[in-house]
Amino acid sequence: EYCPAAHDVLVNERCRFMAHQVRTIADPSTRAVVVCSALHCTNLAAVLRNAPSPDSADKMARLANRGVPVWPLFLMTYVIVPVALTSYL
């Protein structure tokens, strides 16, 4: 793990969210097949094996409502790309 914060968001948090979605959608009396990447496979299996915490639904609701910052997109579109194009040409 080179960047623990990025790993937590991209892998751990995503696995918790996917596990919540699987538990919400899947019928407990049946078996379900979950297709995911190799990066998420072991973490997702571990999260699904453990019982969900009582406040996990609240955490997932807050996670789903969290906004994505838009300023990096504007920075890339209006500053970085034009500067790179003008210096390239």
Side-chain angles (χ1 to χ4, degrees):
E1 292 181 26
Y2 295 109
C3 184
H7 185 269
D8 185 51
V9 170
L10 296 175
V11 178
N12 298 335
E13 198 171 88
R14 179 72 182 143
C15 286
R16 289 190 303 267
F17 184 75
M18 287 190 293
H20 174 74
Q21 294 295 338
V22 169
R23 285 186 179 119
T24 302
I25 296 169
D27 182 13
S29 63
T30 61
R31 298 181 104 183
V33 175
V34 179
V35 179
C36 63
S37 68
L39 182 64
H40 293 96
C41 189
T42 55
N43 287 346
L44 182 59
V47 172
L48 285 170
R49 281 188 194 106
N50 297 330
S53 63
D55 63 341
S56 66
D58 293 335
K59 288 180 182 177
M60 291 304 117
R62 277 185 266 121
L63 178 64
N65 290 331
R66 186 171 63 187
V68 176
V70 181
W71 68 266
L73 180 62
F74 287 126
L75 180 69
M76 182 70 113
T77 304
Y78 295 112
V79 177
I80 296 173
V81 170
V83 168
L85 287 174
T86 55
S87 64
Y88 179 73
L89 299 175

